[in-house]
Amino acid sequence: MASIQRLGILTSGGDCAGLNAIIRAVTLHATQNYGWQVIGVQKGTYGLMVRPTLYETLEPSRFDGTTLRMGGTILGTTNKGDPFAFPMPNGERIDRSEEVIGGYRELGLDALIGIGGDGSFAILRRLAQQGGWKLVGVPKTIDNDIGITENSIGYTSAVAAATDALDHLQPTAASHDRVMVLEVMGRDAGHIALNAGIAGGADVILIPEIPYKLENVARKIESVKATGRNFALIVVAEAVRTDEGEAVTQTHGSGTATYGGVGHWIGARVAQMTGAETRVTVLGHIQRGGQPVPYDRILASALGVHAVDVLAAGRFDRMVAWQNRQVVDVPLEDGIKRYHSVDVEGPIVRTARALGICLGDQ
Ligand code: F6P
């Protein structure tokens, strides 16, 4: 058994649906069943870096009837503040890790639950090793690219949002005889595109794991037309490249570049090659900010509770995960290293092919 009195919790990296359900589960279980105090660190590791530190004490009363279904994170987060290479206003990047470790000490924390994806876990683990923290990670990301858990919190809600978008696009496509292109997120993995594409009845799904040829996409659109159907739906994952292998990115005011825009590139080529009236929707952050679907609320609650139990049992440097219908905990290092891209020979790809969905390679 570990002696813990003050437990810290923070959210790190991009937000997703279900984060508040994790914070709620951790707070309820840790306070009510272990008698610990729970400190919610605000804005990820940035809240430990600055002085005064940014935090709130979390009590069960903080979680009224609305928290469980709220998108975003009540603690705030950041996906661009690596404390080992922190961007300063003059453009320099400096190591501010000791300030973060000082903040942890100042708050009197005995252990930390870090909610993040592989990038956040790598940073938190380095901080934990340097500062002697007792750390447990809870996996969240709409990209579902953490290899050692079958599902990351937030992913199923993102698939639901993308499927909902296809459900909205289909009637307008049919009304106007159009080809609709939907670009979805997922960073370097095609899970959202593939799964939402199947669920939403797409004719073409392009993912970064399967190289495509524009001729194959055009042929599929022509064959849909030949059956007498007057519309088609194409789903494109944001990391799909142009036919010359270029990633399509957007650079934001802060100088950060993210994927975004390949849907327009594909839409223009399809229009040119088939003569079809084509429109493009880039779904963007709508996949992240909405209400968590019930599955994500349950996964978040189960993994949040287990993270507390893992700490109470004196196990650290672990990540909680969902495997074979069970909550388990695994070395945090495996959560960082085992990347999960779409299995191109797997059952979901086979399902798509069997349904006649064009994946661009044939
Ligand atoms: O990793 C989550 C994610 O939503 C990716 O799917 C996407 O590429 C990226 O974050 C967008 O980042 P930002 O919120 O900085 O625009």
Side-chain angles (χ1 to χ4, degrees):
M1 292 288 284
S3 106
I4 295 173
Q5 277 164 11
R6 273 165 79 84
L7 169 67
I9 180 167
L10 57 78
T11 44
S12 177
D15 71 336
C16 65
L19 296 178
N20 294 321
I22 312 172
I23 300 165
R24 173 179 178 269
V26 166
T27 305
L28 297 185
H29 192 37
T31 58
Q32 294 172 170
N33 302 319
Y34 289 102
W36 299 346
Q37 204 176 22
V38 179
I39 305 298
V41 176
Q42 294 161 340
K43 298 192 182 299
T45 51
Y46 182 75
L48 294 174
M49 183 191 291
V50 292
R51 300 293 178 274
T53 47
L54 306 175
Y55 72 96
E56 67 169 291
T57 303
L58 296 170
E59 306 279 357
S61 58
R62 171 76 159 94
F63 303 97
D64 61 17
T66 62
T67 333
L68 198 55
R69 62 171 183 267
M70 263 170 60
T73 161
I74 55 168
L75 296 176
T77 188
T78 174
N79 62 359
K80 54 172 176 17
D82 177 356
F84 292 96
F86 193 81
M88 301 301 285
N90 63 1
E92 236 188 300
R93 284 187 175 265
I94 63 168
D95 183 351
R96 298 187 64 181
S97 56
E98 276 307 317
E99 291 164 73
V100 176
I101 289 163
Y104 181 94
R105 214 177 297 123
E106 215 174 271
L107 288 180
L109 302 180
D110 302 310
L112 182 75
I113 290 181
I115 305 167
D118 54 355
S120 298
F121 288 157
I123 292 169
L124 288 170
R125 186 160 191 261
R126 224 175 132 187
L127 287 164
Q129 284 169 344
Q130 193 172 312
W133 299 355
K134 295 166 180 161
L135 173 69
V136 168
V138 179
K140 64 83 216 174
T141 164
I142 65 163
D143 305 338
N144 206 30
D145 54 1
I146 300 175
I148 201 154
T149 182
E150 279 154 27
N151 263 314
S152 301
I153 296 152
Y155 163 68
T156 310
S157 302
V159 171
T163 304
D164 194 46
L166 286 169
D167 291 350
H168 282 75
L169 289 171
Q170 186 277 327
T172 172
S175 304
H176 285 267
D177 303 346
R178 282 176 174 163
V179 172
M180 290 294 190
V181 178
L182 177 69
E183 178 185 313
V184 299
M185 283 185 167
R187 199 154 277 168
D188 296 309
H191 300 291
I192 298 176
L194 180 62
N195 287 273
I198 293 173
D203 301 291
V204 177
I205 303 172
L206 301 180
I207 58 175
E209 292 88 346
I210 300 182
Y212 70 96
K213 284 204 163 53
L214 280 169
E215 304 87 86
N216 296 333
V217 176
R219 194 175 333 109
K220 175 68 185 180
I221 301 301
E222 299 290 4
S223 76
V224 167
K225 213 192 293 172
T227 65
R229 175 137 66 78
N230 68 335
F231 72 91
L233 300 175
I234 301 178
V235 181
V236 185
E238 62 178 356
V240 165
R241 296 179 175 241
T242 68
D243 57 356
E244 293 196 329
E246 299 284 324
V248 182
T249 59
Q250 304 287 321
T251 303
H252 308 282
S254 58
T256 314
T258 56
Y259 286 123
V262 70
H264 287 285
W265 191 90
I266 297 280
R269 300 305 172 292
V270 168
Q272 244 169 30
M273 294 169 83
T274 65
E277 179 86 7
T278 303
R279 294 289 188 274
V280 179
T281 301
V282 179
L283 195 57
H285 295 81
I286 285 174
Q287 292 155 99
R288 292 220 316 235
Q291 287 194 351
V293 297
Y295 177 84
D296 270 331
R297 301 182 201 190
I298 294 160
L299 187 65
S301 302
L303 294 187
V305 163
H306 191 56
V308 172
D309 287 339
V310 168
L311 282 170
R315 293 201 297 279
F316 318 121
D317 198 22
R318 310 288 293 172
M319 184 190 90
V320 291
W322 185 259
Q323 290 176 350
N324 301 321
R325 305 182 188 192
Q326 300 290 329
V327 281
V328 295
D329 53 284
V330 297
L332 184 56
E333 194 180 10
D334 291 350
I336 298 164
K337 289 196 177 146
R338 290 189 32 192
Y339 188 77
H340 174 220
S341 47
V342 169
D343 176 0
V344 298
E345 307 293 340
I348 308 296
V349 168
R350 282 206 307 277
T351 301
R353 292 197 195 281
L355 293 171
I357 298 170
C358 167
L359 299 177
D361 56 341
Q362 37 185 274

